[in-house]
Amino acid sequence: MGYLTLAGAIAAEVAATTAMKYTEGFTRVWPSLATALGYVVSFALLAQTLKTVQIGTAYAIWSGVGTAAIAVLGLLLFGEGLSVPKVAGILLVIGGVVVLNLGGASH
């Protein structure tokens, strides 16, 4: 169940960060409200996750997968460039999450 709530926390964080792109510095009401709501939901689900998943593992997955997802969405939705260093960075983040999980993620 912990990893299911973690997936929800990641989805909410990615939605909130994507909505933030549309806030224009928090001058647009609806995207700003979506951003705030997304982060509240994300943190609430992350807090629930921590009942069953170690904090280091949960945070690494939450931040790593969120970062990689936002990088991909930046490419697909906002036309951000893709370079070898960016791809390498995303792969390193994902690799770090895998290594943390292989290193004994028990609770």
Side-chain angles (χ1 to χ4, degrees):
M1 187 64 175
Y3 287 99
L4 186 60
T5 57
L6 182 57
I10 293 166
E13 187 269 335
V14 169
T17 302
T18 303
M20 191 185 306
K21 176 74 173 169
Y22 296 102
T23 67
E24 296 182 17
F26 292 105
T27 60
R28 297 182 64 213
V29 173
W30 293 115
S32 298
L33 289 174
T35 298
L37 179 63
Y39 281 120
V40 167
V41 169
S42 181
F43 287 133
L45 290 173
L46 184 58
Q48 290 299 311
T49 299
L50 297 180
K51 292 180 178 179
T52 58
V53 179
Q54 291 182 2
I55 190 168
T57 301
Y59 188 74
I61 294 169
W62 180 79
S63 61
V65 172
T67 299
I70 288 298
V72 170
L73 286 174
L75 174 71
L76 297 175
L77 298 178
F78 305 115
E80 294 179 359
L82 186 64
S83 63
V84 172
K86 187 180 253 185
V87 171
I90 293 169
L91 292 175
L92 285 169
V93 167
I94 293 168
V97 169
V98 170
V99 169
L100 274 173
N101 280 304
L102 293 176
S106 64
H107 186 288

